[in-house]
Every structure is written in C-alpha cells, then in structure tokens.
Amino acid sequence: MTSHQVLGKQVAMPVEIRAASAFTAMYSVPTAAAQSLIDDTGLEIMQFRPGRGVCVLVFVDYVDGDLGPYNEFGVSFLVRDHRAAGTSVPQDLKALARGRAGALIHHLPVDGDFTLAAGRGIWGFPKVLAHFDVDHSGSVKRGSVSQGGRLIAQLSVKQGIPVPGSGASTSLAAYSHLDGLTRFTTWDMSPTGVRSRPGGAELKLGSHPIADELRSLGLPKRALLTSSISELKMTFGDAQPV
C-alpha cells in the first residue's frame, strides 16, 4: 500500500469516498473543436456519431471521504481508452455500450485547499479554487461555480426517472493532464438512487475563461442526457502515466 504526504498529512491509497452526491449534464460537441482543446494530452475524443463527441458537466458534493468534505465542478470529455486500437465510430459505440469509455478531466474547480493539493499532487487533476453555491437536495438540482467574482457556469438538472440496476459497481478510467504529463486513474464507483432523462438541463455560462471555452464549443441548448445520483461511493488508487 502506498501513501502520499499532502500538506503535512499522509494520504493512504486507495482513497475512499464514503458518501457523495452528484448531478450531470452531457452535451454533444463538435469533435474537431473538442480535440483541439485536448491535443496536448495525446488522447482522442470518442465519437458517438461522425463528427460529434461528448462533453460532460458535473457538480459533486463530497460529504464524507479521505480528502474531507468539498464541492467540485468538472468539465470532462469522453475519450478513447489509450490502450485501445479502435478509432472508428462503430468501435467507439461498442466501447460506450461496454462501459469502456474514458473521461478526460479537463477543468476541475473545487472549494477545498486540501483536496486541491491532493488532486494536483497525487493524480495530476487540474484543480483550482473556486466559489460554489449548490443544492443537491431538491427535486431540481442546482449548482453555480465562480472564480474571482466571475461566473463559470450555472447548471440546473430536472429530476429524471429511476435507472434500474443502480447500486451495481462500475469502473471508470479517469484521465488527467498537468505539467505536460498525461495520467490515468481507475475509479471504482457504487452509485445508488440514480435518475436520468433526455434533456432536462438549463445552463448559463458566465464571463470566466472556462465559460468562454465552453461557449466556443457551441454547446446546444438541449443536453443529450442528464442524471442525478443521490448516494455515491468511490475508491481510487494511484495514477499511472499514459
């Protein structure tokens, strides 16, 4: 078992998240525009149809975990597994159906100093400090994130229908890129109380550079899919260089 020192504290691997909640919105984006944003990672945008990839926006409330309580807003793109040989849309769809899509964490504002230091130092996640105003408890989930007084994004997600089989464990390959190094970390997740629906999101982008970047992707008014997770448990170990 390995461990890392973060701000004078030891963080043992794997890190455990015992209680969290989340809500997400997935948007169709042009492959070329998204790829231009991540070219330096060496990864490739996964396509669900020719010329279209997926951008995922997510708010997470970490209630009880080894890194302490904090809020997080993620901007990520679905990418091809760096070990996979396939580069066609049918192969991408097959990987999606089998749960083998990777997620490149492109931006990751948080509101805790400790998780910022751990995220950047251990896994290479591009965490930055930001201000959050979120409500995970209502039937409509709402979140707002800003930095330096400038709004990044404000997202609301309407309640979907229960997803059968929630509670089953699943794994996600999470990719990061920081200081010229691309890494991947396997997240094991056990979500319960999952609800999803087509559309169902309202998104407002502010004047922050992250908002400008999202705006440049031409996010459609309607989300492909929205989801909420009332209870989320996770474990993740050390990052590996790609």
Side-chain angles (χ1 to χ4, degrees):
M1 179 181 295
T2 61
S3 66
H4 303 267
Q5 189 171 59
V6 178
L7 301 182
K9 299 179 181 180
Q10 289 298 122
V11 178
M13 297 289 109
V15 162
E16 183 180 358
I17 306 300
R18 291 170 288 277
S21 59
F23 58 93
T24 71
M26 303 173 65
Y27 290 91
S28 170
V29 294
T31 305
Q35 187 65 49
S36 69
L37 296 179
I38 72 159
D39 263 342
D40 58 348
T41 68
L43 301 171
E44 295 181 323
I45 295 291
M46 175 174 277
Q47 298 185 88
F48 69 96
R49 63 183 176 89
R52 306 299 294 187
V54 175
C55 176
V56 183
L57 307 182
V58 57
F59 278 91
V60 187
D61 179 15
Y62 291 88
V63 177
D64 178 22
D66 293 346
L67 304 182
Y70 64 96
N71 286 287
E72 181 176 271
F73 173 71
V75 177
S76 63
F77 295 100
L78 296 190
V79 294
R80 292 171 176 145
D81 188 312
H82 70 284
R83 297 157 295 191
T87 58
S88 68
V89 173
Q91 288 167 320
D92 285 349
L93 290 173
K94 186 179 293 185
L96 277 169
R98 293 177 177 176
R100 294 179 182 171
L104 170 65
I105 312 302
H106 186 56
H107 293 296
L108 201 59
V110 296
D111 65 357
D113 291 309
F114 188 78
T115 188
L116 181 143
R120 295 181 72 92
I122 299 174
W123 300 283
F125 288 126
K127 293 188 175 184
V128 296
L129 282 178
H131 175 75
F132 287 76
D133 182 7
V134 292
D135 179 9
H136 287 258
S137 62
S139 59
V140 177
K141 316 301 180 184
R142 305 180 189 277
S144 176
V145 57
S146 58
Q147 186 185 49
R150 302 168 74 181
L151 178 67
I152 296 173
Q154 182 176 299
L155 177 68
S156 65
V157 168
K158 296 178 182 178
Q159 184 166 274
I161 61 172
V163 176
S166 67
S169 296
T170 184
S171 293
L172 172 71
Y175 291 90
S176 62
H177 182 81
L178 191 68
D179 299 329
L181 180 62
T182 300
R183 305 172 174 92
F184 79 100
T185 307
T186 300
W187 288 359
D188 295 319
M189 302 180 291
S190 297
T192 57
V194 181
R195 289 176 171 267
S196 293
R197 56 168 287 170
E202 289 187 11
L203 174 65
K204 176 185 176 182
L205 299 175
S207 60
H208 191 278
I210 294 176
D212 292 337
E213 186 180 85
L214 288 170
R215 198 175 285 111
S216 75
L217 291 171
L219 295 182
K221 185 176 179 62
R222 180 178 170 84
L224 285 172
L225 183 74
T226 54
S227 299
S228 62
I229 305 171
S230 61
E231 297 180 32
L232 178 60
K233 297 179 180 181
M234 293 183 282
T235 57
F236 37 93
D238 277 310
Q240 304 295 326
V242 170

